Amino acid sequence: MNHLQQDVVEFRSHLARWVDERLIPQAEKLDESGDFSFELFRELGELGYFGIMYPEEAGGIGQPFPYTCYTILCEELARGSMGFAAAVCMQGSTATHTIHEWGNDMLRERYFLPAMRGEKIGAFAITEPNAGSDAASLRTRATKVDGGYLLNGSKIFTSNGTVADFITVVATTDPSKGAKGLELFIVDTKSKGFIVGRKLDKFSIRCSDTAELAFEDLFVPDDHFMGDGNGGGFRRAYKALTVDRIFTAALALGTARAAYDAAVRYAGERSQFGQPIGKFQAVQFKLVDMLAKLEQARIYTYYASALADNGAPITTEAALAKIVAGENCNEVCQKALSVFGGYGLMNEYPVQRYLRDSYFPMVGGGTSDIMRIVVAKQIGL
Ligand SMILES: Cc1cc2nc3c(=O)[nH]c(=O)nc-3n(C[C@H](O)[C@H](O)[C@H](O)COP(=O)(O)OP(=O)(O)OC[C@H]3O[C@@H](n4cnc5c(N)ncnc54)[C@H](O)[C@@H]3O)c2cc1C
């Protein structure tokens, strides 16, 4: 192992200790209350974890393998709580990636750098009540006025939406142009006309904040415009969302690991018919099948992040990673629940949470079937 690889191993082991000591003890309580943990979020910011994806000169921490390390971050956190991990995943990736790539110095100073320190929270909003998989049909309107734009419309399912200080919003400057009319805007949530409709209650990743938002004549100054003036917003949003698929796959991988580990432990502890249930071949087969699914998810996910670290195209591999890790995680969690028998249905055991959370990676950032459509296009079908 060379020293760079050694750094990555150490990075994982420091983080794993934080997850064991700080996140896991709070995970059940956060799931039950559905609260966003400002305390843990700020702590991670102070430790510098939000800056993993970015070079030092941009305010990041300059990791040699940024995509691999961010994948490790999402995986390890999701081993403790996928809900908390999803909020972090949004902060250090999609919500700040847009400013890093296309923002001006003022936006970097006002939003990006405080976000790296965990002092400001970011979000990304493309989905609308009538535009989910078909995101390009969105209707939030940006009308040019003197010195900026007026935003009118609504968004749904925005992660970190009620707690965010700034949001990258995708809006159309001309609905007749479809995807070619879309641009990116940074919305400061203190702006007049920014409305949190409601915080959405959900059964999966409960402690990740999910919101319905509205914009009513919300003024966005010209220096908060991050489009290219030529309808490039969709391409830019798509780029940010493509990278994010690797991290959503990592969320699935982390939760699958937690479910598998819990099931193996339980199979050794629980006895029936005079012996641990792990001695029954039927239970062993189940655990081995879970391990195979877990390893497959790991290989697909880290292959995609290694390609990203090498600057190679990732459209196909990121989508495949999200399909494989997402669906495998759901299968692993179902099997884990069955290993626990009746106890699996009890809220005092975390396997039911793992199963509930496992539905998110099959939807967030595009459903598994939409990922299949992405790959089908890539192979020329
Ligand atoms: C917890 C959570 C957090 C989220 N966070 C964010 C966020 O931070 N920002 C954001 O912008 N969005 C976010 N989303 C939205 C997410 O990306 C969408 O939910 C997702 O893209 C699906 O859109 P939809 O829910 O409108 O489903 P629909 O598009 O209505 O799809 C419904 C069903 O139809 C299928 N379907 C649709 N079109 C096709 C087709 N062409 N071919 C085959 N099948 C099709 C889908 O696969 C699905 O099974 C979040 C969602 C959730 C649940």
Side-chain angles (χ1 to χ4, degrees):
M1 198 185 293
N2 65 34
H3 75 279
L4 290 179
Q5 290 163 329
Q6 186 64 36
D7 282 354
V8 173
V9 170
E10 278 171 24
F11 170 81
R12 186 191 283 274
S13 82
H14 283 136
L15 181 62
R17 199 169 324 128
W18 186 87
V19 170
D20 290 337
E21 290 172 4
R22 298 289 296 137
L23 180 56
I24 289 178
Q26 297 198 44
E28 291 309 316
K29 197 167 59 84
L30 291 173
D31 180 64
E32 204 183 316
S33 66
D35 288 340
F36 177 91
S37 175
F38 288 96
E39 180 199 350
L40 292 177
F41 195 83
R42 297 226 161 92
E43 216 171 293
L44 270 192
E46 279 162 21
L47 292 167
Y49 284 114
F50 296 140
I52 291 168
M53 285 270 289
Y54 306 112
E56 241 173 323
E57 59 276 17
I61 58 170
Q63 280 285 348
F65 303 112
Y67 291 90
T68 298
C69 286
Y70 208 76
T71 303
I72 292 172
L73 176 74
C74 294
E75 180 197 340
E76 283 299 328
L77 293 176
R79 184 172 64 76
S81 161
M82 192 195 285
F84 179 74
V88 170
C89 182
M90 174 56 70
Q91 174 86 351
S93 153
T94 325
T96 46
H97 178 87
T98 50
I99 301 182
H100 172 66
E101 289 265 332
W102 304 292
N104 55 37
D105 286 347
M106 183 277 298
L107 292 176
R108 281 192 201 102
E109 198 65 38
R110 189 177 295 177
Y111 303 108
F112 181 85
L113 293 177
M116 291 301 100
R117 298 190 293 266
E119 292 160 7
K120 282 196 174 169
I121 300 173
F124 179 90
I126 184 166
T127 308
E128 298 184 356
N130 292 314
S133 301
D134 183 15
S137 68
L138 64 81
R139 282 286 171 266
T140 293
R141 184 77 199 257
T143 311
K144 187 75 185 99
V145 291
D146 201 20
Y149 292 81
L150 279 185
L151 284 197
N152 280 288
S154 62
K155 296 288 176 186
I156 199 161
F157 302 148
T158 309
S159 298
N160 296 350
T162 80
V163 294
D165 297 287
F166 65 95
I167 305 180
T168 301
V169 171
V170 190
T172 177
T173 52
D174 183 351
S176 70
K177 287 188 178 164
K180 293 197 172 117
L182 302 185
E183 300 285 6
L184 302 184
F185 302 85
I186 289 291
V187 166
D188 192 309
T189 59
K190 287 193 196 71
S191 309
K192 192 163 162 271
F194 176 79
I195 297 160
V196 173
R198 62 194 166 116
K199 176 176 166 162
L200 299 166
D201 191 17
K202 55 196 189 302
F203 86 100
S204 185
I205 58 165
R206 284 179 48 73
C207 67
S208 149
D209 181 84
T210 311
E212 193 175 288
L213 307 173
F215 316 117
E216 280 180 12
D217 281 339
L218 186 152
F219 179 71
V220 181
D222 279 332
D223 56 8
H224 282 54
F225 173 73
M226 285 199 314
D228 62 1
N230 203 18
F234 191 65
R235 265 194 323 276
R236 292 179 174 189
Y238 193 83
K239 192 172 173 209
L241 289 170
T242 298
V243 170
D244 192 58
R245 286 172 190 151
I246 304 175
F247 307 137
T248 307
L251 298 180
L253 176 58
T255 295
R257 253 179 81 199
Y260 168 77
D261 290 347
V264 169
R265 255 193 327 271
Y266 189 77
E269 288 161 11
R270 172 73 172 169
S271 282
Q272 286 294 281
F273 300 97
Q275 60 176 2
I277 57 169
K279 292 286 176 203
F280 297 114
Q281 208 174 45
V283 175
Q284 291 173 357
F285 283 7
K286 215 172 270 182
L287 291 168
V288 172
D289 288 349
M290 287 162 71
L291 182 59
K293 292 281 173 189
L294 181 59
E295 293 301 341
Q296 193 191 24
R298 194 192 314 274
I299 288 163
Y300 272 77
T301 305
Y302 281 96
Y303 179 56
S305 60
L307 286 178
D309 276 332
N310 283 304
I314 54 160
T315 307
T316 299
E317 288 74 15
L320 286 176
K322 199 169 103 67
I323 296 170
V324 171
E327 295 182 356
N328 285 12
C329 172
N330 184 254
E331 250 183 82
V332 167
C333 291
Q334 285 185 34
K335 287 195 162 74
L337 196 90
S338 76
V339 169
F340 274 74
Y343 296 92
L345 279 62
M346 300 298 123
N347 284 343
E348 63 198 84
Y349 289 89
V351 273
Q352 44 76 31
R353 170 166 59 92
Y354 302 148
L355 180 59
R356 284 188 283 110
D357 288 353
S358 75
Y359 286 89
F360 170 68
M362 296 190 290
V363 176
T367 66
S368 290
D369 282 346
I370 294 301
M371 295 302 102
R372 289 182 170 89
I373 291 172
V374 167
V375 176
K377 272 199 193 128
Q378 291 294 308
I379 57 181
L381 298 170

